[in-house]
Amino acid sequence: GIESVAVCFLHAYANPAHERRVGEILRAANPKLFVTLSHEIVREYREYERTSTTALNAFVGPRVQAYLGRLESHLRDGAFPGKLNIMRSNGGVMSVRLAQEQPVSMMESGPVAGIIGAGRLAALMGIERCIGFDMGGTTAKASLIREGEPTLAPGYYVGGYASGHPVMLPMIDVVEVGAGGGSIAWLDDVGALKVGPQSAGADPGPICYRGGGTEPTITDANVVLGRLDPDNFLGGTMKLDAEGAKRGIKQKIADPLKLDTVAAAQAIVEIAISKMSLAVREVSVAKGYDPRDFALVASGGAGPLHVCAIARELFIPTVIVPLFPSHFSALGMLLADERHDFTRTVYSDLAKVDFGKLVKIHDEMVAEAKAGLRHGKDAQYQVSLDIRYMGQEFTLSVPVGLDQLKRADREGIRVAFDKLYEHRYAHHSPEEPVEMVNIRLGAIGKRPKLKFPGLGAAGAATPAAERPVYFSSAAKPLPAKIYRRETLSAGATIAGPALVQEHGTTTVLFENDSCRVADTGELIISVGGAR
């Protein structure tokens, strides 16, 4: 009854001959067996992480392989004329065949697609530095982007660092927190208010969804504060139960804390904002970057609803809300290039590195990349070396050029490492010896770039309505103008306090915020008080 086998030999990262032979024996014994060989997934030392990655691939492999086979067959039977690409966690796309062989590289790829979209959008708008922020129903995600390219992390944990399973594959560096529209507000044993990570999910969902939910959520709090319109949710196709949301927050939160319902709702939202601000800080301040130098690109169904409050918290001056933010991850998939990452462990004192060997390994990885790239004609190759001080456990990935390897530029590589270390940790030790652990290659097959259509003629913004909305801890609501996004023309300006409603989300503008509609429809918000 065995469907799948994982094979991980101790030193297969250096010499995979024995793993290959075992794979041949297994496949000959049972051609239907799903076989995962560790060197086919990752050629890097650290046997525990490599074994975990291989086992996870074997675990999800049979189901993913069958699903993608059915999907491809369905599209072929329907005369689908295009090519099917699968998103992967490194921010690129891959073929169905590769996805069937290495399904572990798809994990966490959904949130990554939105980050890729944020980077491409920022590049098109001439923004060199931005932070992608995606808030959905269960979690909020943040990632730092420079010159259109998100930061890569060497691996991640499925199920969290404390008790999860390591995956030793490059992934877009995304920080995730349990704060989404469905995150539940609750009181702990000492009566302190908490928000998440428990979520009401899609079923039963928030109380206001009328799906049987009984626990108050962030969405319920926004309904109570007037930021979500009960009569115009999802473009008016879904009516929200505002009274139910008020009742739930009153019974579960306000009454036990001796607060009025609005104050309790405001507290729920503010705690969520604090949690999400920490995620943005972790991808910026914790990595040596000042968030005030970045724009914040918001997506997800709940992202625009909270992004200006997060920007205020961190003094970020500019917020960008793209078109169709609730569907932005789907757009990100269309904007993503093809990408494959390769690693080889080459352990050596930097002063004694055999650069001829490194060039040979580089060429072998390039040849392997070319064999798998669909869009290889104008492919780009990014090389980096994992370097650390002697005696350290973890490394920094230092970008290098092929010409540096060919010139054996030890000094230039060492200077680049010291600069990166100084930026990350605010100190460095140029007199200390360093060692190289891995050489990495990112192979990027460029896909045709999409062009966003313009909105056409410019025009002034005309509010569709006005209603009272609670924007802060003030006792009284403020009169807020309500705009329909589909009616906004290029160049239109809006002054806060205001709400911009669309089918999948609502953008909240606070007092002193000002918004301008870009030629291609994005909302460019100058955050009041950010500086």
Side-chain angles (χ1 to χ4, degrees):
I2 293 171
E3 296 180 351
S4 183
V5 175
V7 183
C8 189
F9 286 175
L10 190 62
H11 299 295
Y13 69 90
N15 183 355
H18 291 168
E19 272 196 356
R20 288 198 187 102
R21 181 66 189 124
V22 169
E24 292 168 0
I25 294 170
L26 288 167
R27 287 163 178 150
N30 184 353
K32 294 183 179 180
L33 203 61
F34 187 89
V35 178
T36 301
L37 309 179
S38 73
H39 76 274
E40 294 178 345
I41 304 297
V42 59
R43 290 281 296 273
E44 189 175 343
Y45 86 126
R46 298 187 187 277
E47 62 271 13
Y48 172 70
E49 289 85 351
R50 183 159 44 92
T51 302
S52 172
T53 306
T54 307
L56 285 168
N57 195 76
F59 179 72
V60 300
R63 181 169 293 187
V64 173
Q65 187 180 61
Y67 172 81
L68 290 177
R70 291 194 303 271
L71 176 60
E72 199 169 33
S73 176
H74 174 75
L75 291 173
R76 188 169 52 250
D77 293 345
F80 172 64
K83 289 183 178 179
L84 175 62
N85 291 306
I86 306 298
M87 194 74 201
R88 60 192 302 170
S89 54
N90 66 1
V93 295
M94 58 183 165
S95 66
V96 172
R97 179 192 60 77
L98 189 58
Q100 289 176 316
E101 294 173 357
Q102 300 182 9
V104 71
S105 64
M106 297 164 57
M107 290 187 177
E108 300 289 348
S109 60
V112 160
I115 301 303
I116 291 298
R120 297 290 184 269
L121 175 63
L124 288 171
M125 298 180 69
I127 299 171
E128 293 187 356
R129 294 183 169 197
C130 74
I131 296 170
F133 172 73
D134 181 345
M135 182 182 178
T138 306
T139 59
K141 285 79 64 175
S143 184
L144 187 107
I145 301 161
R146 292 183 299 155
E147 297 179 358
E149 295 297 328
T151 307
L152 276 177
Y156 58 101
Y157 285 78
V158 176
Y161 179 79
S163 58
H165 303 283
V167 176
M168 196 164 59
L169 290 174
M171 176 189 174
I172 298 298
D173 189 10
V174 176
V175 172
E176 190 170 29
V177 293
S183 294
I184 293 171
W186 54 285
L187 303 179
D188 67 11
D189 293 340
V190 297
L193 177 59
K194 307 286 184 181
V195 178
Q198 306 94 323
S199 176
D203 184 14
I207 297 171
C208 62
Y209 281 11
R210 305 176 190 269
T214 59
E215 301 298 328
T217 66
I218 294 175
T219 297
D220 294 309
N222 278 295
V223 171
V224 170
L225 295 174
R227 300 180 187 182
L228 289 177
D229 186 348
D231 297 322
N232 285 288
F233 194 72
L234 291 179
T237 61
M238 180 177 175
K239 302 294 184 181
L240 299 181
D241 182 6
E243 290 304 316
K246 291 178 183 177
R247 195 163 48 248
I249 290 177
K250 183 177 188 302
Q251 293 174 355
K252 297 291 182 75
I253 306 297
D255 287 350
L257 293 178
K258 297 181 172 56
L259 296 172
D260 66 59
T261 306
V262 170
Q266 186 67 48
I268 292 169
V269 171
E270 288 182 356
I271 289 174
I273 294 298
S274 295
K275 290 181 69 171
M276 293 184 287
S277 298
L278 288 174
V280 176
R281 285 179 60 88
E282 193 168 334
V283 299
S284 56
V285 177
K287 302 293 175 64
Y289 296 98
D290 189 337
R292 293 173 295 183
D293 297 332
F294 290 74
L296 199 54
V297 181
S299 61
L305 197 60
H306 302 90
V307 66
C308 287
I310 295 169
R312 268 181 151 68
E313 186 92 358
L314 299 174
F315 300 99
I316 296 174
T318 305
V319 164
I320 309 293
V321 181
L323 284 171
F324 311 111
S326 300
H327 310 88
F328 200 58
S329 285
L331 178 63
M333 293 181 190
L334 296 176
L335 296 172
D337 292 319
E338 186 180 12
R339 182 179 180 115
H340 303 305
D341 286 285
F342 303 87
T343 308
R344 297 287 187 273
T345 293
V346 185
Y347 182 76
S348 173
D349 185 333
L350 184 62
K352 301 176 181 178
V353 167
D354 182 347
F355 281 91
K357 180 181 178 181
L358 283 186
V359 171
K360 183 180 178 182
I361 292 172
H362 167 274
D363 293 344
E364 290 173 356
M365 291 192 292
V366 168
E368 189 177 346
K370 287 181 176 178
L373 283 172
R374 282 183 181 179
H375 304 272
K377 183 179 179 181
D378 299 314
Q380 297 178 358
Y381 299 97
Q382 300 172 347
V383 188
S384 62
L385 303 178
D386 289 353
I387 301 176
R388 64 190 181 190
Y389 289 116
M390 292 280 193
Q392 286 189 324
E393 172 65 11
F394 295 101
T395 62
L396 289 179
S397 189
V398 181
V400 299
L402 177 58
D403 62 316
Q404 286 184 287
L405 300 183
K406 290 180 175 179
R407 289 187 286 106
D409 184 14
R410 299 177 206 275
E411 183 179 349
I413 293 171
R414 174 59 197 262
V415 169
F417 168 76
D418 286 337
K419 286 183 177 179
L420 185 59
Y421 204 95
E422 174 71 30
H423 180 80
R424 181 68 59 86
Y425 301 111
H427 69 90
H428 70 285
S429 304
E431 71 285 351
E432 292 291 329
V434 299
E435 58 190 6
M436 188 189 79
V437 179
N438 300 309
I439 178 172
R440 299 183 184 273
L441 177 79
I444 303 168
K446 290 293 184 179
R447 297 168 67 200
K449 297 302 179 189
L450 297 181
K451 290 185 178 180
F452 296 164
L455 289 186
T462 303
E466 184 175 306
R467 71 169 187 267
V469 176
Y470 289 92
F471 287 93
S472 65
S473 55
K476 293 183 179 180
L478 297 174
K481 290 182 170 59
I482 315 299
Y483 297 85
R484 296 298 310 176
R485 186 162 185 182
E486 61 270 20
T487 68
L488 298 178
S489 302
T493 59
I494 299 171
L499 303 179
V500 181
Q501 295 182 176
E502 55 188 294
H503 182 83
T505 190
T506 296
T507 301
V508 176
L509 302 176
F510 290 79
E511 275 191 287
N512 302 318
D513 290 348
S514 61
C515 173
R516 177 176 61 84
V517 181
D519 292 343
T520 47
E522 296 81 15
L523 303 182
I524 304 174
I525 302 169
S526 296
V527 180
R531 291 196 179 278

